[in-house]
Amino acid sequence: MDLTPKQSIPAAESTRFPDEVLERVLTLLKSPKDRNAVSLVCKDWYTADSWSRRHVFIGNCYSVSPEIVARRFPRIRSVTLKGKPRFSDFNLVPDNWGADVHSWLLVFASGSPFLEELRLKRMRVTDGSLEFLALNFPNFRALSLLSCDGFSTSGLATVATHCKNLIELDIQENGIEDLSGEWLSCFPDNFSTLEVLNFSNLITDVNTEVLERLVSRCRSLKVLKLNRSSSLDCLHRLLTSAPQLTELGVGSFSQELTPQQHAELKHAFGFCKNLTVLSGFWDATALNLSAVYPACSGLSFLNLSYTALQSQELASLLPHCPCLRRLWVLDSVGDRGLEAVGANCPSLEEIRVFPTDPFDEDMLHTVTESGIVAVSQGCPKLHYILYFCRQMTNAAVATVVRNCPDFTHFRLCIMNPGQPDHTTNQPMDEAFGAVVKTCKKLKRLSISGLLTDLTFKYIGEYAKNLEALSVAFAGSSDLGMQYVMEGCSKLKKLEIRDCPFGNAALLSGLERYESMRSLWMSACNVTVDGCKALARQMPRLNVEVMKEEGSDDCKADKVYVYRTVAGPRRDAPPSVLTFSSL
Amino acid sequence: MSVPLEHDYIGFSPPPAEDTSMEKTGDIKPISALTMNMKATELRLGLPGSHSPQRDDNGSPELCIALPSSKSSVSRPKRGFSFAIHGGSGNWVFSSPDTNFSSPRNNPSAVANSESGQDGGLPNQSSPAAPEKKNGQAAGPASKAQVVGWPPIRSFRKNTMASHPSPKNSDVVEGGDHHPQSGGSASSSSVCLYVKVSMDGAPYLRKIDLKTYGGYKDLSLALENMFSCFTIGQCGSHGVGVGDGVSESRLVDILHGSEYVLTYEDKDGDWMLVGDVPWKMFIDSCTRLRIMKSSDAIGLAPRAFEKVQKQ
């Protein structure tokens, strides 16, 4: 029974807050999901939220236009933008695809010049954009670029030169044109506000004296991640002047040290009582690694994935890290190294094992099903796994999830496409069946190995909380994808490559795509006609097809479908066809 | 006899019939060079294992540097370490073409993405076998090497690991020993690894950075390019007919089709045949290279074999 408007007015008035109070209250809500929910309550609350929203997260830069964002949130201070489809990390997306940040900066400069923070992932960023950013936003203080491309160290130089209040400069895993280390020298002599400095992505040397002076000036520096060419001498001096660091990325760890130098370095690490995160370590030797032991007692995240440690080296290091919650390693540690993990890391929540040599035929470095089982036996709190391996069995995966039923992220990559269980020669269907049946909280799943439609049937039936699914070289028919589209009501991101799914499969998701962020399908059996049919029926989806040279006119080689309120994009290159019913 | 079976660095592709099947269990392990070619290492005059069908077929002399290679493997046309004027019929097979996922399309993209911070001289390939593909060799139709973007590893990580490949292999380092960071130790230093390369009969030497090559294949191609100018004149017009003042040893070599072998001097000062040991072990121990006339290489192979046995 609805209240009539007449009855509801007194109630509304008596609970009406002045706008300022409401806004003040709302700023205490940090989660974007909560803020979104608040904005749907009523017009007043929508308006209050709009004026008070300080941070916006946009998971797909084309789902909305910069004008719409600026209009709705006029006082925005912090923007997180993600651009290209994730498979662009693996070179499946053409370079000129789009996701250029510049149009966003232009709009913000005129509407919200008080922008302070910009975090970009998989966007195209040019030096021109970086310069524009540095010159047009006087309060700008935090820049984070992850997996972006299009800029060079010159762009960084303009940021260092002009952003007087910079607190954060975080440059990770980008396709950056590394011209020189001069950019670091562009920070003014009196500049001292930096709290986060991550230049581990960069190859060229920076001036160590400049770096040391900068670090000693910035008393609030908490996060420092050096690049590979940083020497151990430099590291020693930096540690001595910045013992307050909480996150440290060391440079190359391969220099030969005299016993004296080694002792001094170890001593310097001993000063750093607040370290929770350690990374870097390119080419670490066993001996040098022992210098970090004094700093490991409070360590929660250890990233050793850039150095090919052997099992013994890892086994020597781990007992010094009793609080470890996240560990990234290379498969050079082998199953024995993973046994050491199981034996020494009872609090471990996340493990990622990367391949030392993805194309290694000699199989000198590898982990097997035994390794992952060993970890699961010793680490019952495990909820995140990323595991690259060359062999796996259904039984092992079942054991792993029995030991650790709380997985939220299960990403298994058996590197040989379509490889079955190596002991039974059966498909890996039962492995992933076990995962989805046991792990009720599963949000992200990546599957691999020889898989039939049965895997997808299991996923559709059991993975009710699944939000992201990544599929490659799997499935037998359209049914596979249909099971998932029908069953996984919370699905947000689906990426598929090299699977036998055609138009029927694509169209089976009609009901689902508007509640998803995006769908990627490449090297499947979808045709251009199928894409057109999808676009015709769903006006609020952009259906994009990337054509490859020399392919059939009717084949849709790569398909990218996403919901949007901004209509078809106008900056697509010629190789990208956009289908829309508008 | 204690021939190590598990390390094979000169890939012998399985016989053609098996090639086209998708590897299900990943056990395409090339047959060990050493088990196959005990005989090969006994060959004196020639080069270990250089009875290639092509050689027999065309009979024309080719200047080729040979490594132990199986008969069956040579039947697949491959670019090996070959100075052959006629090109194409390499008789070194370093790795089976079917067992890797090098992504040739990755490489141009990587360049386009301007990951140009890497060492200048570094070929922008993340896999030792990638050059195999780039040269358009006729690999088997189900060659998995053509899979783009697989396994799903970000370019940054691939490039980081590729430019500084881990030299450690479990034989050498498992005890957790500290090993010296000398220039020759390819393990953890990011310095270059320049070694001199001499060729018998060439007027000057060359220097190459072993770190820039992903494997034996890369190396063989590079050396071929570098030294081909010296061999052209010598290859000349020796036809099938012999006896026009050609020395007897040369005659034998020509018939076998390979005039040169690639050897290297290791840290102990011994001259070894290139290709016996894992690539990483090789660059760890190699101090110089010599392209030796095969006639001078008599007696080298058995020594190489003994040496490996000791390891």
Side-chain angles (χ1 to χ4, degrees):
Chain A
M1 181 179 65
D2 294 329
L3 290 171
T4 67
K6 211 163 169 221
Q7 281 172 315
S8 71
I9 287 174
E13 280 193 10
S14 71
T15 57
R16 193 184 215 137
F17 294 119
D19 292 340
E20 297 80 13
V21 175
L22 186 55
E23 285 175 31
R24 201 61 199 276
V25 169
L26 293 183
T27 49
L28 299 173
L29 282 176
K30 302 293 181 206
S31 143
K33 282 198 175 121
D34 288 344
R35 295 293 294 240
N36 291 346
V38 154
S39 69
L40 294 174
V41 168
C42 65
K43 271 193 181 160
D44 283 343
W45 283 42
Y46 177 93
T47 311
D49 169 65
S50 295
W51 282 97
S52 62
R53 191 88 72 112
R54 294 289 174 262
H55 168 68
V56 67
F57 169 84
I58 299 164
N60 173 6
C61 63
Y62 287 119
S63 62
V64 68
S65 73
E67 290 82 6
I68 293 175
V69 174
R71 199 166 53 231
R72 179 167 171 191
F73 302 117
R75 297 221 212 116
I76 206 76
R77 298 271 186 273
S78 160
V79 176
T80 302
L81 268 173
K82 294 189 180 179
K84 302 184 195 179
R86 194 178 78 96
F87 277 177
S88 72
D89 283 346
F90 318 126
N91 300 315
L92 288 177
V93 172
D95 277 340
N96 58 349
W97 183 83
D100 195 315
V101 75
H102 203 77
S103 55
W104 290 83
L105 295 176
L106 288 173
V107 169
F108 285 139
S110 61
S112 327
F114 303 114
L115 190 70
E116 293 174 3
E117 299 181 6
L118 190 63
R119 291 171 212 286
L120 304 178
K121 187 169 184 180
R122 292 190 203 103
M123 301 278 301
R124 179 159 189 80
V125 183
T126 61
D127 286 345
S129 295
L130 289 175
E131 190 179 357
F132 185 86
L133 177 70
L135 294 173
N136 288 282
F137 297 93
N139 292 1
F140 194 74
R141 23 176 250 168
L143 179 65
S144 168
L145 300 174
L146 173 56
S147 221
C148 297
D149 67 282
F151 63 105
S152 78
T153 41
S154 307
L156 297 183
T158 54
V159 171
T161 306
H162 298 288
C163 297
K164 307 281 183 247
N165 304 310
L166 201 66
I167 288 184
E168 175 177 340
L169 183 61
D170 184 358
I171 309 295
Q172 285 187 63
E173 299 200 17
N174 300 291
I176 180 174
E177 197 184 352
D178 199 328
L179 301 170
S180 87
E182 276 305 299
W183 61 273
L184 188 71
S185 308
C186 293
F187 285 112
D189 287 336
N190 60 351
F191 172 77
S192 63
T193 49
L194 215 53
E195 294 175 21
V196 175
L197 178 61
N198 178 356
F199 61 98
S200 52
N201 193 181
L202 301 177
I203 309 289
T204 51
D205 295 348
V206 297
N207 184 318
T208 45
E209 278 161 24
V210 168
L211 176 63
E212 287 166 31
R213 281 202 303 270
L214 180 66
V215 167
S216 57
R217 284 203 303 277
C218 298
R219 304 314 310 158
S220 308
L221 192 69
K222 290 283 185 296
V223 175
L224 177 62
K225 304 211 175 165
L226 307 174
N227 66 355
R228 190 175 204 161
S229 52
S230 301
S231 72
L232 288 179
D233 305 322
C234 175
L235 177 65
H236 173 243
R237 290 190 290 272
L238 291 171
L239 290 178
T240 313
S241 71
Q244 77 279 7
L245 288 176
T246 58
E247 297 188 20
L248 173 67
V250 304
S252 168
F253 233 56
S254 65
Q255 223 173 298
E256 194 167 350
L257 297 176
T258 65
Q260 165 88 355
Q261 286 170 318
H262 186 274
E264 282 172 6
L265 184 63
K266 196 165 182 173
H267 189 58
F269 269 108
F271 288 143
C272 300
K273 293 293 176 211
N274 299 318
L275 276 184
T276 55
V277 175
L278 259 184
S279 62
F281 294 110
W282 287 274
D283 315 317
T285 63
L287 182 64
N288 287 356
L289 213 48
S290 62
V292 313
Y293 291 171
C296 293
S297 50
L299 218 53
S300 68
F301 176 24
L302 183 55
N303 182 351
L304 297 166
S305 64
Y306 291 110
T307 183
L309 286 191
Q310 303 297 299
S311 58
Q312 186 50 45
E313 291 158 350
L314 184 64
S316 304
L317 172 56
L318 287 177
H320 298 267
C321 316
C323 307
L324 210 57
R325 289 193 287 114
R326 300 172 65 197
L327 177 65
W328 295 16
V329 288
L330 288 178
D331 62 2
S332 56
V333 302
D335 288 336
R336 279 172 49 195
L338 295 179
E339 284 162 23
V341 173
N344 288 291
C345 307
S347 311
L348 200 70
E349 297 173 16
E350 172 180 330
I351 184 159
R352 303 195 195 196
V353 181
F354 295 94
T356 309
D357 184 354
F359 310 111
D360 170 22
E361 306 146 28
D362 304 330
M363 293 186 48
L364 290 178
H365 308 292
T366 190
V367 290
T368 71
E369 66 271 19
S370 319
I372 192 179
V373 168
V375 176
S376 72
Q377 277 165 351
C379 311
K381 296 190 189 169
L382 208 59
H383 68 80
Y384 192 122
I385 185 155
L386 170 61
Y387 200 74
F388 284 85
C389 58
R390 293 191 165 85
Q391 64 185 57
M392 188 51 60
T393 66
N394 289 308
V397 175
T399 304
V400 167
V401 294
R402 206 166 37 241
N403 292 333
C404 307
D406 296 328
F407 274 109
T408 54
H409 297 68
F410 195 95
R411 304 166 63 189
L412 177 63
C413 181
I414 303 168
M415 288 195 272
N416 201 350
Q419 180 172 305
D421 177 324
H422 77 98
T423 54
T424 64
N425 234 31
Q426 294 299 301
M428 295 298 294
D429 295 335
E430 294 308 318
F432 295 104
V435 172
V436 295
K437 287 176 194 167
T438 315
C439 305
K440 306 281 183 231
K441 303 182 204 165
L442 195 70
K443 291 200 298 193
R444 182 171 180 187
L445 179 64
S446 301
I447 61 181
S448 59
L450 180 66
L451 298 170
T452 70
D453 287 344
L454 183 57
T455 298
F456 299 98
K457 185 156 188 275
Y458 287 143
I459 293 174
E461 196 174 329
Y462 294 100
K464 293 305 182 189
N465 285 319
L466 197 65
E467 295 179 9
L469 178 62
S470 192
V471 183
F473 305 101
S476 333
S477 74
D478 285 339
L479 268 184
M481 186 168 164
Q482 277 170 234
Y483 286 133
V484 171
M485 299 317 302
E486 283 160 21
C488 298
S489 51
K490 294 195 184 171
L491 198 63
K492 294 278 176 290
K493 288 180 282 185
L494 179 56
E495 44 184 35
I496 301 174
R497 63 166 292 179
D498 294 273
C499 295
F501 302 145
N503 293 337
L506 177 70
L507 293 169
S508 70
L510 268 187
E511 308 288 307
R512 196 63 75 205
Y513 298 132
E514 274 190 10
S515 59
M516 285 171 59
R517 185 185 297 174
S518 65
L519 164 74
W520 168 281
M521 287 178 79
S522 60
C524 296
N525 297 338
V526 176
T527 68
V528 166
D529 285 342
C531 295
K532 286 182 180 170
L534 177 61
R536 256 196 316 273
Q537 295 184 61
M538 302 298 295
R540 284 183 300 196
L541 297 182
N542 277 352
V543 180
E544 297 185 8
V545 173
M546 281 159 262
K547 296 287 296 168
E548 280 171 23
E549 287 175 27
S551 81
D552 272 346
D553 276 346
C554 61
K555 272 200 71 178
D557 306 303
K558 293 174 183 165
V559 179
Y560 187 51
V561 179
Y562 56 91
R563 66 179 172 185
T564 180
V565 295
R569 62 182 176 115
R570 287 179 295 260
D571 62 351
S575 59
V576 175
L577 311 172
T578 304
F579 300 120
S580 167
S581 68
L582 296 179
Chain B
M1 90 197 63
S2 55
V3 176
L5 274 175
E6 56 280 358
H7 300 298
D8 178 66
Y9 309 92
I10 304 158
F12 298 97
S13 342
E18 290 170 23
D19 289 344
T20 56
S21 62
M22 271 279 275
E23 235 358 82
K24 294 287 193 218
T25 53
D27 66 354
I28 299 187
K29 282 201 178 109
I31 312 158
S32 159
L34 295 163
T35 52
M36 280 231 30
N37 284 304
M38 306 245 314
K39 271 190 214 148
T41 55
E42 287 167 358
L43 281 180
R44 281 47 63 217
L45 282 185
L47 302 150
S50 47
H51 336 281
S52 55
Q54 291 114 311
R55 280 299 116 51
D56 296 338
D57 287 343
N58 62 25
S60 52
E62 286 165 338
L63 288 169
C64 302
I65 300 225
L67 263 200
S69 62
S70 75
K71 208 166 175 174
S72 59
S73 67
V74 182
S75 61
R76 179 168 315 103
K78 273 185 197 43
R79 292 273 294 202
F81 188 80
S82 161
F83 293 161
I85 303 302
H86 309 285
S89 52
N91 52 353
W92 271 2
V93 179
F94 288 105
S95 49
S96 165
D98 296 326
T99 55
N100 64 69
F101 300 109
S102 67
S103 309
R105 279 176 56 186
N106 277 348
N107 304 318
S109 298
V111 173
N113 277 339
S114 29
E115 316 241 27
S116 55
Q118 303 297 329
D119 314 338
L122 181 67
N124 49 6
Q125 290 146 1
S126 49
S127 106
E132 235 179 296
K133 298 302 153 225
K134 276 178 88 166
N135 290 325
Q137 65 171 334
S143 166
K144 287 163 267 151
Q146 307 301 334
V147 180
V148 178
W150 187 266
I153 298 166
R154 285 190 180 160
S155 308
F156 177 71
R157 178 173 294 282
K158 269 198 298 225
N159 291 338
T160 299
M161 298 315 296
S163 60
H164 292 257
S166 162
K168 299 178 186 176
N169 69 55
S170 40
D171 298 334
V172 178
V173 181
E174 195 49 54
D177 292 340
H178 169 221
H179 53 268
Q181 305 293 312
S182 59
S185 165
S187 63
S188 359
S189 60
S190 46
V191 300
C192 308
L193 203 56
Y194 280 99
V195 296
K196 289 184 190 171
V197 186
S198 61
M199 176 168 173
D200 290 0
Y204 52 81
L205 279 62
R206 299 297 299 265
K207 226 167 183 188
I208 58 172
D209 179 0
L210 287 181
K211 280 286 197 77
T212 64
Y213 303 109
Y216 287 119
K217 209 138 201 87
D218 275 358
L219 177 64
S220 88
L221 289 167
L223 288 177
E224 177 184 340
N225 287 335
M226 243 184 242
F227 287 95
S228 56
C229 52
F230 300 125
T231 63
I232 287 174
Q234 293 164 20
C235 189
S237 52
H238 303 292
V240 177
V242 294
D244 298 322
V246 179
S247 70
E248 189 177 339
S249 59
R250 201 123 183 242
L251 164 69
V252 173
D253 294 339
I254 288 166
L255 283 183
H256 280 240
S258 356
E259 189 158 356
Y260 294 88
V261 278
L262 183 60
T263 61
Y264 70 103
E265 186 178 30
D266 73 0
K267 284 184 179 151
D268 302 333
D270 295 323
W271 285 93
M272 317 278 297
L273 198 65
V274 169
D276 289 328
V277 298
W279 173 255
K280 289 147 193 174
M281 200 190 289
F282 166 67
I283 56 178
D284 222 14
S285 52
C286 171
T287 59
R288 54 185 301 176
L289 286 161
R290 178 176 164 202
I291 303 170
M292 192 181 260
K293 289 213 173 108
S294 55
S295 49
D296 293 333
I298 295 167
L300 180 67
R303 272 187 79 202
F305 177 66
E306 281 163 30
K307 184 128 191 172
V308 174
Q309 266 203 313
K310 277 188 216 151
Q311 286 173 0

